[in-house]
Amino acid sequence: MSRFFATGSDSESEESSSADEITPKPSGTTFTKQSLLLSDDEEDTKRVVRSVKDKRFEELTNLIKTIRNAMKIRDMAKCLEEFEQLCRAFLKSKTVVDKEGVPKFYIRLLADLEDYLNQLWEDKEGKKKMNKNNAKALSTLRQKIRKYNRDYETEIASYKENPEQSAEEEEEKDGVESGSSLESEDETGEEGGVSAKSFMKKKPASEPAPEASKFLKAATGEDESESDDEEDDEDWDSDSVGSSSESEDEGTSASVAMLFLKKDSNKEKATSDRRKDPRTKRPKKKERIEEEEIEEEGAEAESGEWRKVKGGVPLVKEKPKMFAKGTEINTAVVVKKLNEILQARGKKGTDRAAQIELLHALAAISNENNLGEGILVKIKFNIIASLYDYNPNLAAFMKAEMWKKCLGCIEELLDILFENNNIFIGENIAEDSENLAISDQQPFRVRGCILTLVERMDEEFTKIMQNTDPHSQEYVDNLKDEARVCGIIDRLLQYLEMKGSTEEVCRVYLRRIMHTYYKFDYKAHRRSLGLQGETKSEQDQEESEGEDSAVIMDRLCKFIYAKDRTDRIRTCAILCHIYHHALHSRWYQARDLMLMSHLQDNIQHADPPVQILYNRTMVQLGICAFRQGMIKDAHNALLDIQSSGRAKELLGQGLLMRNMQDRNAEQEKIEKRRQVPFHMHINLELLECVYLVSAMLLEIPYMAAHEFDARRRMISKQFHHQLRVGERQPLLGPPESMREHVVAASKAMKMGDWRTCHSFIINEKMNSKVWDLFPEAQRVREMLVRKIQEESLRTYLFTYSSVYDSISMETLSEMFELELPTVHSIISKMIINEELMASLDQPTQMVVMHRTEPTSLQNMALQLAEKLGGLVENNERVFDLKQGVYGGYFNRDQKGGYQQKQGYQRDQKGGYQQKQNYQRGGYRNQNQGSY
C-alpha cells in the first residue's frame, strides 16, 4: 500500500490493515513485476515504531531464552557466555529499568538460575561426569550469580515467596506490552481487534486461510487453545518484529489487486468480536479454578475423606481435616489415626513433610482434648522418627529447619518425661501392653527408646558438621548448637541415672565423654596457674565455679570401667581418657593408662572409628611428651603415624587424592562418614614439626657419633628424606617453609652452632605457625632452647673430640651457655655409656681425651678390610657353585672329601679373622701405650 493511501480515514486504514493480514500467500517464490515495484512502499507502510523499552526488553528476553535452552541441555559454557551478555544488555537498559523497575522475568531467571546451579553443585555424580570446560564454567558461573544476586535479594525473596503470583503478573504485563505495541499503528485494536502478535501466535500453520471465513474458524478455535497456551508465556516477549516481517512477506507476495479491494466491515467486526483479548480470558480461568475448589471443599466436608491433589503447580490449600465433624475424639480414635499416618511411612510417593505436619496437628488435637501425656509422648516419638526419615539417603544431612525442629521436639519430650514420673518408656514394652489412656491406678506405658533418638541426634549433628564448609560463618552457627546437644545429653543422663539400666547409662556416658575429651579446659588451666581474677559477668563466674572437665571425665570413665560389659565402649572411654590427660599435659597418668590397658596389642582388630580414635590419642600423647621435654618418647609415639605418610587419612581428617583410584564410590562415601569434624582436628603442620624437631634432636648426635660406621641405622627415615631433599637443591636460599627451617637448623646443629640452630627453630614465622598454638607456648620455647643447647654440646664433642687432647668444662659452659653442673652431667653420661672415650679431671675441671677413636684414615682402612673380607667370602661361594656336582658313588665320596676340605678352609678363614681382630686390638693397645 502506497504512502498516498496511508493518509486516508481511520476506517480505511483499519480495513486496509486487516486486508493485508487476510491476504493469502501464494505458493512458490514467483514475483510479479508489480509486486517488485511496490515492495519498497510496502516496507515503509509496514514498519512499526517501537519504544526503547520494547527494544531493550526484547533483547533481554531473547538472551534469557538462550540461557534456559542451555540449562535444559546442561551446557554450562553457553550459560556462562549468555549470562555475561545478559548482564551487559541489562546495564545498557539501565535508564528504562530506572523508570519501569526491574522486570519480573529478569528476577525470575536470576532465582531459577541460582537454584539450578546449586542443584548441579550438590550433584556430586553429575559433576564427575561433566567435561573440563563445563565443570570450570559451572564453578565460575556459580560464583558470579551469587555475587550478582546480592543486589536483588529482596526481589528474589519476594518472588520465591509467591512464584505463582509473580508468573501471573508477568503474563499480564506481557499482554499489556503486546497490546501497546500496536497503539501507534491501530487505535481501534483495544475495542475488539486482535493484536498482530497474538494473531500470528495462534494462527494454525497448516491452513493458509485465503478467505475471511477461514479466519473466523481460526478465531473460534483460538478461544479453546488460548487457555492452554497462556501458561507457557513466561517472559515479556514482544514478537512484533517477527509478526511484522511475516506480514510483509505475505503482502509482497500477494497479488496486487487484492490490496486495493474494499472489504466488508461487518465481517471484520464479527471476526474481531469473536476474538477475545487474553486479559479478559484470565479472570475467567481464575474464577473457574475457584469454583472447582469450592465444590471440592463442599464434597470433602460431606464425606470427611482425604482431598485428591492434582498435578501441576501446587496451590495454597487448607490443612486437611483430621476427623469428621461430630467425631468424639478419644485415645482410641487418635491412636487409630496415628497408625493410619504411620502406615504411609516409607512408602514410595509419600510426602514426608506433609506427614510431619499431620503428626504435629495430631499432637495439637490431643493437647486440646486433654488426652493425657501418654499419647503425647507416643506422638512425639513418631514425630522425631519422621524427622530422621525425612532424608531417605543415609549419607545426606538434615537441613537447618528440620534440625531445629528435631532439637525442639527432643527437648519437649524430655520436659514431659521429667514433669511426669508416672510415664515408663522402653523398647521392651510391647505395643499390645501399652497404656496410653489416663487412669489413676496404672501409670503410662509407652513403647520407645529416648536414648536411641538422642544417639541418632548426635550422629546427625556430626553429619551436619562434616558437610558444612569449615571456613564459613555457617559452620560457626552450626557449632553453636553443640551447647544444646550437650544440654540434651546431660538431661538424658540425669533421667537415665534415675530410670535407666546400667547398659543405657554407659552408652549415654560415652556420648558425654565424646563431647568433652577433645576440649581444653582453659578455666581449670587458669585456676591451676593461679591466674583466676575477677570475672566479668555472672555467667563467667558460674562457669568458672563449675566442675573441672578432668573431674567429670574421671567420674564418667571410671563408671564405664567398672560397669560396662562391651569391649567397644570401654576401649573408647580409655582412649578418650588418655587423650584428655595428654591434652592437659598430665603425661605420666596418660602414659600409665595406655600401658596398663594393652590396647596397642589388639587395636588392629577394632573397627575403623576406634582405630582413628587410637591414632588421635597416640598423636596427642606424643605432643604431650614433647611439651614435657620427653623427646625420645615423643618420637616413638609419633613414629608410626608420620612414617606412613598418611597422617591426614589415619587421623580421619581427609582423604588422600593419590588413593582415590583404589576405592569405589561406595567406599568413598563410607570413609567420608568416618571423618572427624573440623573443630576436632589436630594441626597436621604442628604434628609434623614436633616429629621433625624430635628426630633432629635424636638423629644429629647419633649421626655425629657413628659417622664412619658402615652399619649405622636410621632413627627416622622421614627426617633423612628431608635432609636429602635439602641437599639436592642447587641454590640454597633462606628457609621459607617449616620443613626448610628444620633442615637448616639440623645443618647448623651438625656443626655444633647452637645459636644458628636456635634462630632457625624459634623465630616469628615458626612461632606463628607452630609454637604459639601450644597452651604454654613460652615454656615450650624455653624447653626447646635448653634441648638444642644440650644436644649441640653432645654433637660438638662427638665431632671434634679427635681434635682435642683436653678441653675445659668452663669453656664448654660458656660456648653453649649452660650451667657447669649441667655440662658435667652430660659429659659424665657420655663417658658412662661409652659414647665418649675420655676422663674427667676434677681439680682442673678438664675433660681429658683418650684418643681411642681412630682417625679418618684408620676408619677408612678398617672399612676396606671388612669389605675385602666380604668379597673373599662371596668369591668362595661362587667357586663352590662352579665345582661340578656329578652323579655316581665315587663322585659322592670325592664331594664329601671336598666338603671336609672346604670346612678346613673355613677354619683357616676363621683363624684369619681372629688374627685380624687380634692385630686391631694390638694396634689399639699399642696406641694406648704410646700416649
Side-chain angles (χ1 to χ4, degrees):
M1 186 174 178
S2 65
R3 289 177 185 171
F4 174 74
F5 289 99
T7 57
S9 65
D10 293 341
S11 60
E12 287 177 355
S13 64
E14 182 183 349
E15 291 168 4
S16 60
S17 64
S18 61
D20 291 342
E21 291 177 359
I22 296 170
T23 303
K25 184 175 180 180
S27 61
T29 56
T30 57
F31 294 95
T32 61
K33 187 176 180 182
Q34 289 175 334
S35 63
L36 288 172
L37 289 172
L38 293 171
S39 61
D40 293 335
D41 294 338
E42 287 296 319
E43 286 178 6
D44 293 339
T45 307
K46 294 291 181 178
R47 187 177 295 121
V48 178
V49 179
R50 290 188 301 152
S51 63
V52 180
K53 175 184 170 184
D54 291 342
K55 289 179 183 177
R56 295 298 182 202
F57 281 7
E58 183 185 2
E59 185 181 1
L60 294 177
T61 49
N62 290 336
L63 288 169
I64 286 170
K65 281 181 182 177
T66 313
I67 290 173
R68 289 194 182 277
N69 289 335
M71 286 163 64
K72 287 177 185 174
I73 60 174
R74 290 196 175 192
D75 189 353
M76 291 297 103
K78 184 71 175 171
C79 272
L80 177 60
E81 180 186 347
E82 294 297 326
F83 180 71
E84 289 173 350
Q85 289 185 15
L86 181 67
C87 293
R88 288 195 289 270
F90 189 74
L91 200 59
K92 282 182 190 175
S93 57
K94 191 173 185 302
T95 53
V96 178
V97 171
D98 291 343
K99 290 180 185 176
E100 303 290 335
V102 183
K104 296 287 184 185
F105 64 84
Y106 191 72
I107 297 298
R108 182 174 186 178
L109 175 86
L110 294 180
D112 292 350
L113 185 58
E114 186 177 13
D115 293 343
Y116 174 75
L117 291 174
N118 289 336
Q119 185 181 355
L120 277 185
W121 189 262
E122 291 172 2
D123 184 11
K124 303 292 183 185
E125 297 294 331
K127 271 170 51 179
K128 286 181 182 176
K129 293 177 183 176
M130 279 187 182
N131 58 28
K132 188 176 180 181
N133 291 336
N134 272 352
K136 189 176 179 183
L138 173 63
S139 176
T140 310
L141 183 56
R142 183 168 172 265
Q143 290 176 356
K144 284 192 174 186
I145 195 74
R146 287 172 70 181
K147 187 176 179 182
Y148 191 78
N149 281 6
R150 287 175 194 162
D151 300 333
Y152 306 101
E153 285 181 350
T154 53
E155 291 91 341
I156 291 172
S158 63
Y159 163 73
K160 285 185 176 178
E161 284 174 8
N162 197 354
E164 186 182 2
Q165 183 182 353
S166 302
E168 287 175 2
E169 288 175 5
E170 189 178 319
E171 287 178 357
E172 288 174 10
K173 288 196 176 184
D174 189 12
V176 172
E177 286 304 317
S178 62
S180 65
S181 64
L182 290 176
E183 283 179 0
S184 59
E185 183 184 355
D186 193 359
E187 292 179 357
T188 60
E190 289 181 0
E191 296 173 4
V194 68
S195 65
K197 175 189 170 185
S198 60
F199 171 68
M200 293 303 293
K201 241 182 194 179
K202 308 304 177 187
K203 185 173 73 172
S206 60
E207 297 181 7
E211 297 174 5
S213 60
K214 292 185 179 180
F215 285 104
L216 291 173
K217 289 179 184 175
T220 55
E222 182 179 309
D223 291 340
E224 298 171 2
S225 63
E226 186 172 306
S227 61
D228 297 328
D229 292 342
E230 64 187 359
E231 292 179 0
D232 300 333
D233 297 338
E234 294 179 351
D235 307 325
W236 290 24
D237 188 16
S238 58
D239 294 336
S240 56
V241 176
S243 61
S244 64
S245 61
E246 288 178 11
S247 60
E248 282 177 17
D249 293 338
E250 289 178 3
T252 52
S253 60
S255 60
V256 182
M258 292 291 287
L259 297 174
F260 299 96
L261 290 175
K262 189 174 181 181
K263 306 297 177 186
D264 188 1
S265 60
N266 294 329
K267 286 185 179 180
E268 293 297 326
K269 284 182 180 179
T271 327
S272 60
D273 288 336
R274 287 194 176 185
R275 296 188 185 128
K276 299 290 183 184
D277 189 28
R279 287 171 289 174
T280 60
K281 198 75 179 171
R282 288 188 186 97
K284 288 188 176 179
K285 182 182 177 184
K286 287 183 183 176
E287 290 170 9
R288 190 169 65 249
I289 290 171
E290 289 172 2
E291 287 173 4
E292 288 177 1
E293 286 180 5
I294 292 166
E295 289 174 5
E296 286 178 5
E297 287 174 4
E300 183 191 339
E302 292 173 4
S303 61
E305 294 177 355
W306 293 87
R307 179 180 297 179
K308 193 173 182 180
V309 179
K310 294 183 179 178
V313 181
L315 301 172
V316 180
K317 297 181 179 178
E318 293 180 0
K319 292 181 181 177
K321 296 178 178 60
M322 300 295 293
F323 302 102
K325 277 187 179 181
T327 306
E328 183 185 353
I329 296 174
N330 53 27
T331 306
V333 172
V334 172
V335 170
K336 184 180 178 183
K337 179 59 72 173
L338 176 63
N339 291 330
E340 284 178 14
I341 296 169
L342 293 179
Q343 279 174 2
R345 179 181 169 189
K347 290 185 179 178
K348 190 175 181 182
T350 305
D351 188 355
R352 296 182 180 88
Q355 200 174 29
I356 294 167
E357 291 298 324
L358 287 171
L359 290 170
H360 276 292
L362 197 61
I365 290 170
S366 67
N367 266 338
E368 288 172 7
N369 293 276
N370 299 321
L371 297 180
E373 306 299 334
I375 188 67
L376 191 59
V377 167
K378 186 170 180 63
I379 294 172
K380 288 286 181 187
F381 268 119
N382 287 294
I383 289 173
I384 297 167
S386 299
L387 287 168
Y388 290 146
D389 288 346
Y390 188 76
N391 287 327
N393 188 3
L394 188 63
F397 62 99
M398 291 178 80
K399 299 292 182 254
E401 182 187 356
M402 292 294 172
W403 170 245
K404 301 291 182 190
K405 280 185 184 177
C406 180
L407 289 179
C409 284
I410 293 175
E411 286 171 347
E412 290 171 12
L413 183 57
L414 285 170
D415 289 338
I416 296 169
L417 293 176
F418 272 106
E419 289 168 4
N420 300 275
N421 291 324
N422 60 340
I423 300 177
F424 292 96
I425 57 173
E427 288 178 315
N428 52 356
I429 297 174
E431 290 189 3
D432 300 337
S433 61
E434 283 184 323
N435 181 28
L436 304 175
I438 300 173
S439 62
D440 297 332
Q441 291 83 12
Q442 292 182 344
F444 292 112
R445 291 170 61 82
V446 183
R447 178 180 172 81
C449 181
I450 183 68
L451 176 59
T452 307
L453 296 181
V454 173
E455 285 179 335
R456 179 69 188 274
M457 174 206 68
D458 196 20
E459 291 167 6
E460 289 293 337
F461 176 71
T462 305
K463 280 199 281 187
I464 289 170
M465 302 312 295
Q466 286 171 345
N467 290 277
T468 309
D469 180 12
H471 306 292
S472 64
Q473 183 61 33
E474 186 184 358
Y475 191 90
V476 179
D477 296 338
N478 289 338
L479 191 57
K480 291 176 184 175
D481 288 336
E482 192 184 16
R484 288 183 71 183
V485 172
C486 291
I488 289 170
I489 292 173
D490 283 336
R491 293 184 67 191
L492 178 64
L493 189 145
Q494 295 171 13
Y495 179 78
L496 291 178
E497 282 175 349
M498 295 186 296
K499 295 191 174 183
S501 63
T502 307
E503 183 186 352
E504 290 177 334
V505 172
C506 288
R507 281 164 63 187
V508 76
Y509 274 10
L510 181 63
R511 289 288 164 181
R512 188 68 186 88
I513 289 168
M514 296 299 283
H515 280 279
T516 309
Y517 81 97
Y518 63 90
K519 296 174 184 172
F520 188 81
D521 193 349
Y522 283 98
K523 305 276 185 184
H525 179 63
R526 287 176 65 83
R527 278 201 295 271
S528 65
L529 296 177
L531 300 175
Q532 190 69 29
E534 296 181 359
T535 52
K536 296 179 181 178
S537 64
E538 294 180 0
Q539 184 180 358
D540 290 341
Q541 193 170 356
E542 287 175 6
E543 288 179 1
S544 63
E545 290 173 359
E547 204 173 7
D548 286 354
S549 61
V551 178
I552 296 171
M553 288 288 294
D554 196 57
R555 177 170 57 84
L556 299 180
C557 291
K558 283 183 178 176
F559 181 86
I560 291 175
Y561 300 157
K563 305 289 185 181
D564 180 57
R565 296 177 183 175
T566 62
D567 288 338
R568 190 181 187 280
I569 292 178
R570 188 170 60 253
T571 302
C572 290
I574 291 171
L575 290 172
C576 291
H577 205 181
I578 295 168
Y579 190 105
H580 196 261
H581 279 316
L583 188 63
H584 292 83
S585 301
R586 295 188 287 270
W587 156 250
Y588 291 105
Q589 292 96 314
R591 184 199 64 181
D592 294 345
L593 191 55
M594 175 62 81
L595 293 176
M596 285 190 297
S597 64
H598 296 286
L599 289 176
Q600 60 272 21
D601 298 336
N602 53 7
I603 193 64
Q604 67 271 14
H605 303 303
D607 53 337
V610 177
Q611 289 185 15
I612 288 172
L613 182 58
Y614 174 80
N615 292 337
R616 285 166 54 80
T617 304
M618 289 303 298
V619 163
Q620 199 60 247
L621 202 59
I623 294 172
C624 174
F626 181 82
R627 287 199 302 268
Q628 301 300 314
M630 315 281 185
I631 302 300
K632 196 164 187 178
D633 291 324
H635 180 269
N636 291 338
L638 300 177
L639 180 63
D640 290 338
I641 300 295
Q642 285 298 121
S643 61
S644 66
R646 298 187 301 126
K648 185 178 181 181
E649 196 170 357
L650 292 174
L651 295 175
Q653 296 181 189
L655 303 177
L656 296 177
M657 295 303 293
R658 65 186 178 206
N659 295 334
M660 282 296 185
Q661 62 271 13
D662 299 338
R663 61 173 76 92
N664 55 30
E666 192 61 33
Q667 288 174 336
E668 188 178 341
K669 284 180 185 176
I670 293 170
E671 289 188 14
K672 279 183 179 177
R673 260 180 272 156
R674 293 176 186 149
Q675 300 305 302
V676 178
F678 183 77
H679 63 280
M680 298 169 63
H681 280 195
I682 297 169
N683 191 319
L684 293 176
E685 190 171 19
L686 179 143
L687 170 63
E688 187 178 10
C689 181
V690 165
Y691 175 74
L692 289 177
V693 170
S694 303
M696 178 189 77
L697 294 173
L698 294 173
E699 192 79 63
I700 297 299
Y702 181 80
M703 288 169 65
H706 302 82
E707 187 177 1
F708 300 105
D709 189 357
R711 297 175 184 175
R712 181 183 69 199
R713 62 180 180 83
M714 287 186 291
I715 295 176
S716 170
K717 288 184 180 179
Q718 190 182 4
F719 177 71
H720 276 276
H721 174 69
Q722 295 301 330
L723 287 180
R724 284 196 296 271
V725 168
E727 289 170 0
R728 284 181 201 147
Q729 292 180 356
L731 181 64
L732 284 176
E736 295 179 1
S737 67
M738 177 271 300
R739 293 174 181 174
E740 291 175 358
H741 276 86
V742 176
V743 170
S746 303
K747 290 178 180 176
M749 182 183 277
K750 200 183 287 186
M751 305 302 293
D753 187 359
W754 77 271
R755 289 182 179 84
T756 308
C757 178
H758 168 235
S759 66
F760 280 129
I761 292 293
I762 298 173
N763 51 51
E764 288 184 6
K765 189 180 284 189
M766 291 291 284
N767 284 343
S768 62
K769 280 187 176 181
V770 180
W771 308 124
D772 287 344
L773 302 178
F774 286 117
E776 298 176 2
Q778 189 56 38
R779 194 170 67 83
V780 172
R781 282 192 282 265
E782 290 171 0
M783 179 274 299
L784 262 177
V785 174
R786 184 82 173 181
K787 288 291 178 185
I788 288 170
Q789 289 170 334
E790 292 176 0
E791 297 303 326
S792 296
L793 171 60
R794 296 183 71 230
T795 307
Y796 184 84
L797 289 174
F798 283 135
T799 307
Y800 299 109
S801 62
S802 59
V803 178
Y804 290 99
D805 287 338
S806 61
I807 186 169
S808 171
M809 282 194 286
E810 289 183 2
T811 307
L812 291 174
S813 176
E814 290 172 4
M815 282 175 64
F816 294 95
E817 295 183 8
L818 289 168
E819 299 84 1
L820 197 59
T822 307
V823 175
H824 185 278
S825 170
I826 291 170
I827 295 173
S828 300
K829 284 179 184 176
M830 292 172 70
I831 293 171
I832 291 168
N833 295 331
E834 296 183 359
E835 294 174 337
L836 183 68
M837 295 302 172
S839 59
L840 291 175
D841 189 13
Q842 290 293 342
T844 57
Q845 293 291 310
M846 300 288 286
V847 182
V848 180
M849 304 297 174
H850 289 172
R851 288 285 183 181
T852 56
E853 288 80 14
T855 63
S856 59
L857 181 63
Q858 291 166 351
N859 273 315
M860 290 173 68
L862 288 173
Q863 287 181 21
L864 179 62
E866 286 180 2
K867 287 180 180 178
L868 285 173
L871 182 64
V872 169
E873 189 173 350
N874 288 335
N875 191 23
E876 287 178 355
R877 286 178 187 165
V878 172
F879 183 73
D880 291 347
L881 290 173
K882 282 189 176 180
Q883 295 297 318
V885 181
Y886 304 107
Y889 179 78
F890 295 104
N891 287 334
R892 284 179 191 167
D893 288 345
Q894 287 177 358
K895 183 184 174 188
Y898 172 73
Q899 285 176 345
Q900 287 177 3
K901 185 180 179 182
Q902 187 180 9
Y904 176 72
Q905 285 178 346
R906 285 181 180 171
D907 290 341
Q908 279 186 341
K909 184 185 171 191
Y912 167 74
Q913 285 180 342
Q914 288 174 3
K915 184 180 179 183
Q916 188 181 17
N917 292 335
Y918 175 75
Q919 284 178 347
R920 283 187 193 170
Y923 177 73
R924 287 182 179 174
N925 293 333
Q926 186 181 358
N927 285 340
Q928 287 176 3
S930 63
Y931 286 109

